[in-house]
Amino acid sequence: MGRKEFDIGIALAEKRAREILDDFGLTTVAEVDLRDLAFDRGLIVEAREIRGAEGRLIRRGDRAIAVVDAAITQRGKRRFVAAHELGHYELHADEPVFVCDQAAFLDWHRRRPAETEANRFAAELLMPRSGFLADGRATPTSFDAVGDLAEAYRVSLTAAAFRYVHLDVAPSALVFSRRGRIEWSVESASLPLQYIGPRRPVHRDSGAGEYFQSGRTSLEPEWTPVEAWFLDDSLVRGERYLEQCRPMPSYEACLSLIWQG
Ligand SMILES: [Zn+2]
């Protein structure tokens, strides 16, 4: 699929989410049970255990059923999976079945365009751009501020942090590292340094590096040398950005929010 066609897919995904909000006269779905909203659109959403996937959509004729893995205990994550399956239902009428694994929910970069479109639909439905930007910009950057947004929009901390950086609420980056290695990152368009790069060891001088070495790290914003995270040719050694960590021990992982202080 060409780049241009793909961008149209994303634009349509976000537009559909906004149309649904408009239909219901909502500016946020934070107080809405997504099962009710989906049911009104013709989709039944159930919680059931699924092996090897977090969400699934099966469509047959006019009827469709979505399953959210009952093993997901976190409310924000469950809501994101339900919204993602509603996205497939709304956007991808030609496909009878979607089985969405963990990788699908991390696919923001068009590896599988339908998954990226469902994620962008879900993000727009759960965290509508204009309200999220306004709320995010009302407070200085920190993981505490992102945590407040996650609470207000009833999404996971990871989803709120990703949205925060992706929408460029402030010049910032987000890195998810696991077992001492960077798994993925996102950089906002206005951050001067842009290149973190996946699948390499976490630098020992970063907050996440400290966590993987000692099992502990500061939960407060700490100054971190830019070369501990970025690979850009243009970086100035010794320059520092703020990094704030949120360890996720059950995943052996750490989220780092990085921004210009
Ligand atoms: Zn999917």
Side-chain angles (χ1 to χ4, degrees):
M1 192 177 278
R3 170 76 192 265
K4 195 174 175 197
E5 194 179 345
F6 184 81
D7 287 347
I8 291 169
I10 297 261
L12 287 174
E14 295 185 340
K15 182 163 169 274
R16 181 63 65 88
R18 284 192 295 274
E19 285 168 356
I20 292 171
L21 291 168
D22 288 348
D23 273 0
F24 286 97
L26 296 168
T27 52
T28 169
V29 292
E31 304 301 328
V32 174
D33 188 328
L34 291 182
R35 285 170 301 189
D36 295 340
L37 189 147
F39 186 77
D40 203 78
R41 304 289 303 175
L43 175 67
I44 292 167
V45 179
E46 289 183 349
R48 229 187 297 150
E49 289 224 7
I50 319 175
R51 279 182 179 224
E54 298 188 320
R56 188 171 70 196
L57 178 79
I58 295 172
R59 188 198 303 267
R60 201 169 169 190
D62 293 344
R63 297 193 300 176
I65 185 158
V67 179
V68 176
D69 185 11
I72 302 170
T73 53
Q74 202 200 11
R75 181 191 61 187
K77 181 70 195 277
R78 282 201 307 268
R79 284 171 65 81
F80 196 91
V81 173
H84 173 108
E85 299 309 329
L86 179 62
H88 284 312
Y89 172 73
E90 295 282 346
L91 302 167
H92 307 125
D94 295 341
E95 288 282 332
V97 178
F98 281 96
V99 178
C100 307
D101 58 7
Q102 200 174 31
F105 292 95
L106 293 171
D107 191 344
W108 298 90
H109 300 291
R110 60 191 72 176
R111 274 187 211 90
R112 289 179 284 173
E115 297 307 334
T116 306
E117 289 166 14
N119 284 330
R120 293 284 286 266
F121 172 94
E124 184 67 28
L125 185 73
L126 297 171
M127 297 167 276
R129 179 186 300 257
S130 55
F132 193 88
L133 272 173
D135 290 346
R137 287 179 176 159
T139 315
T141 304
S142 73
F143 242 138
D144 307 277
V146 173
D148 289 344
L149 289 167
E151 197 56 42
Y153 287 87
R154 299 207 180 179
V155 294
S156 69
L157 183 69
T158 308
F162 189 97
R163 187 73 167 158
Y164 189 92
V165 173
H166 199 239
L167 285 184
D168 207 356
V169 172
S172 52
L174 181 72
V175 185
F176 179 82
S177 43
R178 189 160 178 259
R179 295 179 178 165
R181 294 182 72 80
I182 296 170
E183 286 210 351
W184 55 262
S185 67
V186 56
E187 300 82 21
S188 77
S190 68
L191 189 70
L193 297 174
Q194 284 286 311
Y195 189 58
I196 290 173
R199 293 180 288 282
R200 63 186 176 91
V202 172
H203 197 289
R204 55 182 302 120
D205 294 341
S206 65
E210 190 181 331
Y211 175 66
F212 291 116
Q213 288 163 68
S214 69
R216 282 199 312 270
T217 190
S218 168
L219 297 179
E220 297 301 314
E222 302 287 352
W223 291 106
T224 303
V226 289
E227 62 269 26
W229 282 115
F230 294 91
L231 301 171
D232 302 58
D233 291 337
S234 62
L235 73 75
V236 178
R237 286 188 169 272
E239 195 190 342
R240 296 185 301 172
Y241 280 178
L242 284 166
E243 174 187 357
Q244 194 172 9
C245 292
R246 285 292 177 267
M248 307 167 94
S250 57
Y251 293 103
E252 299 176 77
C254 186
L255 267 182
S256 297
L257 183 67
I258 299 156
W259 69 97
Q260 288 181 296

